[in-house]
Amino acid sequence: MKRTNLLFTLSLLFMLVAAVRVSARERYNFNSDWKLQVGDIKGADGRGFKDNGWQRVTLPHAFNEDEAFKVPIKQLTDTVAWYRKHFRLPREAKGKKVFVEFEGLRMGADFYLNGHHLGYHENGVMAVGLDLTPYINYGGENVIAVRVDNNWAYRERATGQRFQWNDSNFNANYGGIPKNVWLHVADNVYQTLPLYSNLGTTGVYIYATDIDVASRKAVINAESEVRNESKRPVSIGYSVEVVDADGNTVGTFGREPVSVAPGATVTLTASDTVDNLHFWSWGYGYLYDVKTTLLVNGKAADQVVTRTGFRKTRFGNGMIWLNDRVLQMKGYAQRTSNEWPGVGLSVPPWMSDYSNGMLIDHNANFFRWMHVTAWKQDAESCDRVGVMQMLPAGDAERDVEGRRWGQRTELMRDMIIYFRNHPSVIFYESGNESISRDHMIEMRDIRDKYDPHGGRAIGSREMLDIREAEYGGEMLYVNKSEHHPMVQTEYCRDEGLRKYWDDWSYPYHKHGDGPLYRNADASAYNQNQDQLAIEMVRRWYDFYRERPGMGRRVNSGGAKIIFSDTQTHSRGAENYRRSGVVDPLRIPKDAYYAHKVMWDGWVDVENHSSYIIGHWNYKPGVVKPVYVVSTGDSVQLFVNGKPQEMPKRDYEFLYTFSNVKWEPGVIEAVSYDKDGKETSRTSKKTVGEPKSLKLTLMQGPEGTYADGADIAMVQVEVVDENGNRCPLANDMVSFTLEGPAEWRGGMAQGPDNYALAKELPVECGITRVLVRSGFEPGKVKLTATATGYAPETVEFNTIPVEVEHGLSKFNPSAALKPRLDRGETPLTPSYYDKKVDVKVKSAKAGYANDKVANSYDDNELSEWRNDGRLETAWITYELERPAEIDDICVKLTGWRQRSYPLEIYAGDELVWSGDTDRSLGYVHLNARPVRSRFITIKLKGSAADSDAFGQIVEVVEPKAGELDLFKAEGGDKTNHELRIVEIEFLETLRK
């Protein structure tokens, strides 16, 4: 601890003890007892307006929640709705400051208190704060009214400009107040709130510096923006207490008092070294409470508790470090709405933890929220479960200028201030499409002003050649770098319903069968589960083989679009997107388990496992392929103990057994390493005939609260006599609900997706339904019936919640514990070098020697090309040293569509000849190793075009990256054209 003198230290300790007993800051749950009415109602802003007949709701609550997954995104109702709330303050609040915090509204909102207009908020994304103090009635009833307009075409009042992110392709329009609301009561000398929107304040900022992971220590820094709204100068001291997850104080420090004039705003800071820290990590959501207390004229006057975590990051050399360990990003580009059937995004915190925690369950490590920033509840959830976040502010799919760019920078500023204490936030995204160098610098300056010490990289999609970006990465293709890391921002758009297993299983959906999309084949968006899982393996392989340890230029992973099926733009048969690896009720598809196998490691695979895609219930006579996803070097398959023919291995992890005859019993896959030692095994068995329904209650750790907003989820399965789920069951199930609860239902393939229906089918033997608690506690009983089965019932009692005059101290996330599943960051390496890159010293070509360096400049927006004549289609590279090059890794222009016939020579010796594969980025040419300093790549004939990934398209027609989308001038004329974007010469390290 830093010491100034003994007197100050004793004084500080005394004041800290006092601070424990006295805290003038109160934070109330302000979600209860709102009234809702849809329509623009004259006079609804007035204090005396009669709202007796309005709908009673508990926030968060979108007024159009009934439409969640029922209608296409463009048909979500956009109109004006009013929310009103009557409340009274406790007596001890008299004369204090009163603020309200809305975590977010959609879209534009006007706020009124007791008939007075407080202000408005328009961006539809970020939290907003309002000072209620001037118009508050301390001794009686208050009425707050909010008018919300969620028009798809909403325009900014001052400029008439639309907001780029209010887009009906990707930003589901759950209108009204779909997020939480809090009321803050503080003394007139107080720490501000991190609510720049409207209030213009920045709040508390906690961060760590001088982090020593191995020694478990760091300097903890606290900064608080403080205002003196009293009428006289005051002496303000500042103390900080760091409390660990077990409630133990692990650090106390502070600063000497300063004099602050009336009306003045100052920033108070303090710091000290804290030992024995637990660093936040992937799957290790260790959090601390940092209590910052103002000591006004020697008395504790205001305390703010900031829940945060400490971790160390680094970005460079094409890689990402977390707590000194290299990490390849493995996760999802998730729609920020993160919605559920029947309720949209407005779910209780336990459901956020359940959904986000599923990433940890299957070895994913990050969310890249799409287009708009996350809801604070999701950010807090990611903190707890140990999932990293890439946060955008707000955008669409292009750079913009003028006022539209101004809207984006303002939202970035407000977002950074609001989220900078969340350890799970690792990246700030400046654009869902490439932005200019000047715009990147401007965004970086905003980060440096408001979060200079948070260890968060700021970048944008693409940024392939802009070094001012701290990370980049294309949307659909594979990039590499030796400078800022490349993380693919959304790959693999393929869609498929969870309902469809394969071509041999009920309901016998032919793989790819569905309507055209914009008059084009849409088979990639109507896939069966088995092929969707295979596509996950195929796509991840492109990133895995370019991981750290595979040369100088590497890829840092990617975000598969999306995690859970979402009510946004789709291309398949349904009216919502089915690209998720789980369905909207978070029931996994087989693709989920494929990722679980491949992703179990920070970079290299660290724990071996296997998974058999599909089920083992077929009709006699069926002969079909069986697919096994495995980390082993070989796999053997057994049917009832009988070995099957050896498989074909593709994409490192996929083993295909082509003709397996079904017979009832057990199918088992056993995986081995190169030495024949078993590494993992997995099996599936034939399930018996359906015998009964099985109901499983899913709820928060303490049960379901009677607050009008909590949700209990009930899982419904059709099982055999041994309780095993029947994978082909599709029975229609009817539900009856009794007690103080509201039916919110589930969904399935069918009319209106069975939204809110009380009769719906299980799919593949399973479904789930949602029940929302009422306003009063009591017994809730849900009964499920289906033809041929006995009725099944689940019962639970809802827990009372104390609400007094519209205020509550109930915090629905208080009982949620951090997940520490994966343990602290290992101190061991996460990968071992398997290949080394031998640098190019110089090169000469048959044409355009002045541009030949473009082929090895670590810039994927540049290329070398010849003039279309065969005699000029060659380059000879001189390496920095003689080497036995056995892997030529090359990105060739038009890589998705064009195959090049090449010859490669080491000196004068031919070491490779053939046609290059089409890919999503790089191809590897496995050459015969011949020691040489000179490597020549030469075209031996005309290139051939044929799209190998035919349905990779954008929502908006792209202009970004002409090389990758094969739009370069003259790109349709192959002739004898050789075009190289990047080439690397790799030498495998021998053990």
Side-chain angles (χ1 to χ4, degrees):
M1 180 183 295
K2 298 176 180 176
R3 288 178 169 80
T4 52
N5 55 59
L6 181 60
L7 181 61
F8 170 69
T9 302
L10 293 174
S11 175
L12 174 60
L13 291 174
F14 172 79
M15 290 186 287
L16 283 171
V17 172
V20 173
R21 296 196 304 265
V22 181
S23 176
R25 175 69 63 98
E26 293 288 355
R27 178 177 181 257
Y28 294 100
N29 182 327
F30 208 52
N31 285 331
S32 301
D33 296 332
W34 285 79
K35 300 291 189 71
L36 166 64
Q37 186 69 34
V38 178
D40 202 358
I41 302 162
K42 187 176 181 180
D45 58 327
R47 179 175 179 178
F49 180 84
K50 301 299 182 183
D51 54 22
N52 295 356
W54 287 23
Q55 179 187 359
R56 182 186 179 189
V57 299
T58 298
L59 302 182
H61 187 106
F63 73 79
N64 57 354
E65 64 172 8
D66 288 0
E67 299 170 353
F69 285 101
K70 181 178 182 179
V71 301
I73 181 174
K74 294 177 187 293
Q75 294 180 19
L76 284 164
T77 298
D78 60 333
T79 187
V80 172
W82 280 87
Y83 292 75
R84 287 171 54 88
K85 178 182 174 72
H86 301 251
F87 69 99
R88 293 173 181 264
L89 293 175
R91 281 186 305 174
E92 55 268 25
K94 186 173 182 179
K96 294 186 177 182
K97 296 290 297 183
V98 183
F99 301 97
V100 65
E101 172 189 354
F102 290 85
E103 290 185 355
L105 309 95
R106 180 71 178 270
M107 172 77 184
D110 282 274
F111 306 94
Y112 302 85
L113 179 64
N114 298 328
H116 300 278
H117 188 238
L118 299 173
Y120 62 93
H121 181 66
E122 294 186 284
N123 64 43
V125 177
M126 184 41 56
V128 59
L130 298 133
D131 188 350
L132 305 185
T133 311
Y135 305 111
I136 202 78
N137 178 10
Y138 287 100
E141 184 179 78
N142 294 274
V143 178
I144 187 168
V146 185
R147 178 189 183 273
V148 191
D149 181 358
N150 73 322
N151 191 335
W152 277 119
Y154 186 92
R155 293 182 180 273
E156 190 175 49
R157 296 180 194 180
T159 66
Q161 182 61 257
R162 292 185 62 181
F163 291 86
Q164 190 183 12
W165 50 87
N166 191 27
D167 190 289
S168 60
N169 278 320
F170 54 74
N171 192 0
N173 195 346
Y174 303 117
I177 312 179
K179 301 177 184 178
N180 295 308
V181 187
W182 306 92
L183 194 75
H184 303 268
V185 179
D187 274 343
N188 290 321
V189 181
Y190 62 94
Q191 298 169 79
T192 66
L193 296 167
L195 295 167
Y196 206 90
S197 295
N198 193 273
L199 290 178
T201 54
T202 58
V204 177
Y205 181 33
I206 308 295
Y207 58 92
T209 55
D210 301 304
I211 299 171
D212 189 328
V213 175
S215 298
R216 308 176 69 94
K217 66 180 180 180
V219 175
I220 307 303
N221 303 265
E223 298 180 4
S224 290
E225 184 183 62
V226 177
R227 281 189 175 170
N228 176 13
E229 294 198 33
S230 71
K231 296 180 180 179
R232 57 183 58 87
V234 293
S235 173
I236 304 178
Y238 185 59
S239 70
V240 181
E241 180 183 10
V242 182
V243 181
D244 69 14
D246 296 319
N248 302 311
T249 297
V250 296
T252 57
F253 49 94
R255 59 163 297 158
E256 294 186 1
V258 297
S259 180
V260 181
T265 300
V266 299
T267 298
L268 301 182
T269 64
S271 63
D272 198 8
T273 298
V274 177
D275 297 318
N276 300 314
L277 289 171
H278 299 277
F279 293 109
W280 188 96
S281 187
W282 166 35
Y284 187 75
Y286 199 96
L287 301 173
Y288 290 85
D289 283 339
V290 180
K291 302 178 181 180
T292 51
T293 305
L294 300 186
L295 306 161
V296 179
N297 297 326
K299 296 182 179 179
D302 185 66
Q303 184 179 89
V304 173
V305 180
T306 302
R307 180 154 291 181
T308 189
F310 310 114
R311 77 287 182 276
K312 183 179 181 182
T313 57
R314 179 186 163 200
F315 311 90
N317 305 117
M319 295 186 289
I320 297 162
W321 285 260
L322 176 64
N323 300 331
D324 295 334
R325 200 172 201 239
V326 175
L327 179 76
Q328 190 175 31
M329 308 303 290
K330 305 168 184 179
Y332 298 92
Q334 177 76 334
R335 299 299 191 194
T336 303
S337 46
N338 207 12
E339 67 265 66
W340 294 72
V343 292
L345 66 86
S346 303
V347 297
W350 81 262
M351 288 180 69
S352 296
D353 278 17
Y354 177 80
S355 178
N356 299 333
M358 289 185 74
L359 268 70
I360 301 303
D361 293 337
H362 82 300
N363 300 316
N365 58 34
F366 89 114
F367 270 136
R368 179 240 175 189
W369 303 105
M370 297 184 68
H371 297 285
V372 295
T373 201
W375 177 19
K376 189 173 182 65
Q377 181 170 297
D378 267 323
E380 292 171 341
S381 172
C382 288
D383 287 346
R384 284 191 296 270
V385 302
V387 168
M388 293 174 285
Q389 299 182 81
M390 183 181 288
L391 285 187
D395 63 3
E397 291 189 328
R398 61 180 62 87
D399 204 357
V400 288
E401 299 292 339
R403 178 59 196 146
R404 300 187 85 189
W405 178 249
Q407 291 171 340
R408 282 172 59 168
T409 58
E410 291 164 9
L411 186 55
M412 177 64 77
R413 173 201 63 202
D414 295 1
M415 180 270 283
I416 288 175
I417 291 168
Y418 199 55
F419 287 103
R420 61 186 178 176
N421 291 318
H422 290 276
S424 57
V425 178
I426 307 293
F427 304 91
Y428 295 130
E429 180 180 280
S430 303
N432 189 63
E433 183 55 274
S434 60
I435 60 175
S436 69
R437 174 173 277 105
D438 287 345
H439 280 175
M440 186 66 254
I441 292 171
E442 187 175 354
M443 285 292 196
R444 193 183 63 185
D445 289 345
I446 293 171
R447 190 277 315 271
D448 289 346
K449 181 175 182 179
Y450 294 105
D451 187 17
H453 308 293
R456 298 175 178 96
I458 189 162
S460 176
R461 207 177 93 194
E462 298 195 12
M463 301 291 101
L464 307 183
D465 63 339
I466 297 178
R467 297 288 183 242
E468 288 79 4
E470 294 167 347
Y471 74 92
E474 246 291 5
M475 177 187 287
L476 300 169
Y477 308 117
V478 179
N479 306 112
K480 299 203 292 183
S481 174
E482 64 174 312
H483 294 98
H484 56 255
M486 293 295 178
V487 181
Q488 300 337 106
T489 54
E490 50 192 86
Y491 73 89
C492 196
R493 297 179 173 277
D494 300 47
E495 298 183 39
L497 274 178
R498 184 181 61 81
K499 180 176 181 177
Y500 302 138
W501 282 112
D502 54 38
D503 289 353
W504 297 271
S505 302
Y506 179 86
Y508 305 109
H509 173 266
K510 182 180 178 182
H511 180 72
D513 190 24
L516 299 178
Y517 174 73
R518 295 180 180 174
N519 297 316
D521 174 52
S523 56
Y525 310 113
N526 293 286
Q527 299 208 42
N528 291 342
Q529 276 208 60
D530 57 350
Q531 296 301 314
L532 188 65
I534 289 168
E535 194 65 16
M536 296 304 106
V537 179
R538 180 189 186 200
R539 298 293 178 87
W540 177 249
Y541 176 62
D542 272 333
F543 303 111
Y544 180 77
R545 67 177 175 177
E546 312 301 345
R547 67 194 184 278
M550 303 300 282
R552 175 172 45 90
R553 300 180 68 248
V554 296
N555 173 271
S556 279
K560 180 260 179 290
I561 183 173
I562 49 185
F563 173 63
S564 59
D565 292 350
T566 173
Q567 191 177 9
T568 53
H569 176 271
S570 65
R571 300 182 176 91
E574 313 307 314
N575 63 8
Y576 64 96
R577 173 163 291 188
R578 291 91 26 80
S579 296
V581 296
V582 300
D583 75 3
L585 292 158
R586 278 47 174 188
I587 301 172
K589 306 175 188 178
D590 269 349
Y592 177 91
Y593 299 107
H595 280 163
K596 184 175 183 178
V597 171
M598 298 186 296
W599 287 359
D600 198 354
W602 282 61
V603 176
D604 291 342
V605 171
E606 296 173 5
N607 300 291
H608 287 287
S609 62
S610 303
Y611 180 75
I612 301 171
I613 294 175
H615 61 90
W616 197 237
N617 275 61
Y618 293 94
K619 292 182 177 180
V622 167
V623 177
K624 66 178 294 289
V626 171
Y627 306 102
V628 178
V629 184
S630 177
T631 57
D633 295 305
S634 64
V635 175
Q636 192 165 11
L637 190 70
F638 301 88
V639 176
N640 294 327
K642 294 176 290 189
Q644 304 298 296
E645 292 184 5
M646 294 306 293
K648 177 185 177 185
R649 184 182 187 184
D650 292 306
Y651 317 117
E652 180 82 14
F653 300 103
L654 181 67
Y655 294 84
T656 301
F657 298 83
S658 297
N659 296 296
V660 179
K661 184 177 180 180
W662 178 79
E663 60 182 60
V666 177
I667 184 169
E668 184 175 38
V670 183
S671 300
Y672 306 91
D673 64 15
K674 287 183 171 64
D675 298 323
K677 180 181 178 182
E678 181 180 324
T679 57
S680 66
R681 66 172 57 209
T682 186
S683 65
K684 290 190 173 180
K685 63 183 178 180
T686 305
V687 178
E689 293 297 315
K691 290 295 182 183
S692 61
L693 300 177
K694 177 183 177 182
L695 303 188
T696 304
L697 178 63
M698 306 168 71
Q699 56 185 344
E702 294 184 335
T704 302
Y705 291 97
D707 63 350
D710 204 358
I711 291 174
M713 183 158 55
V714 178
Q715 180 166 286
V716 185
E717 297 173 273
V718 175
V719 297
D720 68 5
E721 61 183 1
N722 296 314
N724 301 306
R725 185 191 307 164
C726 299
L728 302 181
N730 195 45
D731 301 84
M732 187 67 72
V733 182
S734 298
F735 298 90
T736 303
L737 179 64
E738 302 173 57
E742 178 187 9
W743 177 256
R744 299 314 300 170
M747 68 177 295
Q749 190 269 335
D752 294 332
N753 299 316
Y754 287 95
L756 299 179
K758 289 192 175 180
E759 184 180 48
L760 66 155
V762 297
E763 294 176 338
C764 301
I766 181 173
T767 191
R768 291 171 180 168
V769 294
L770 308 181
V771 175
R772 186 157 61 199
S773 66
F775 303 103
E776 301 297 331
K779 178 178 286 187
V780 177
K781 179 179 178 181
L782 180 68
T783 302
T785 60
T787 301
Y789 310 114
E792 290 292 329
T793 298
V794 66
E795 297 181 356
F796 59 95
N797 291 306
T798 56
I799 304 167
V801 173
E802 184 177 347
V803 180
E804 186 173 359
H805 302 306
L807 306 181
S808 175
K809 298 303 291 288
F810 168 63
N811 183 348
S813 65
L816 300 176
K817 302 299 182 185
R819 290 187 58 168
L820 307 175
D821 302 34
R822 296 189 64 91
E824 301 193 57
T825 304
L827 298 179
T828 55
S830 60
Y831 71 93
Y832 294 94
D833 287 319
K834 297 169 184 63
K835 297 178 183 287
V836 293
D837 180 289
V838 183
K839 289 187 176 183
V840 175
K841 179 180 179 181
S842 64
K844 62 180 180 179
Y847 179 80
N849 272 290
D850 58 327
K851 295 183 178 179
V852 71
N854 288 353
S855 67
Y856 58 95
D857 61 355
D858 196 32
N859 177 3
E860 295 182 16
L861 293 181
S862 69
E863 67 165 351
W864 172 88
R865 60 187 292 188
N866 73 324
D867 59 358
R869 295 181 298 136
L870 189 60
E871 58 266 31
T872 64
W874 60 270
I875 301 177
T876 296
Y877 296 92
E878 182 183 2
L879 307 182
E880 284 192 334
R881 62 173 175 82
E884 293 184 1
I885 300 300
D886 57 359
D887 185 349
I888 292 93
C889 179
V890 60
K891 175 172 273 195
L892 297 154
T893 301
W895 53 82
R896 169 181 140 191
Q897 297 171 275
R898 179 167 289 183
S899 177
Y900 292 80
L902 300 178
E903 292 178 340
I904 298 176
Y905 295 85
D908 296 326
E909 192 167 345
L910 181 68
V911 294
W912 190 91
S913 179
D915 296 333
T916 62
D917 294 333
R918 299 173 184 90
S919 75
L920 288 177
Y922 288 85
V923 294
H924 287 257
L925 311 178
N926 296 315
R928 182 166 53 88
V930 173
R931 189 170 183 81
S932 177
R933 191 165 188 159
F934 296 93
I935 303 291
T936 298
I937 182 168
K938 181 179 180 182
L939 192 72
K940 64 177 182 179
S942 295
D945 287 352
S946 176
D947 195 343
F949 301 88
Q951 292 173 352
I952 295 179
V953 294
E954 307 255 10
V955 175
V956 180
E957 289 302 320
K959 293 255 175 141
E962 291 186 346
L963 299 174
D964 57 2
L965 294 176
F966 203 47
K967 290 188 173 185
E969 182 181 355
D972 58 334
K973 300 174 183 178
T974 58
N975 298 323
H976 293 112
E977 190 175 59
L978 179 60
R979 306 177 66 164
I980 301 175
V981 177
E982 287 294 322
I983 193 165
E984 303 158 54
F985 300 97
L986 304 175
E987 189 176 42
T988 300
L989 295 173
R990 312 297 177 189
K991 289 185 178 180

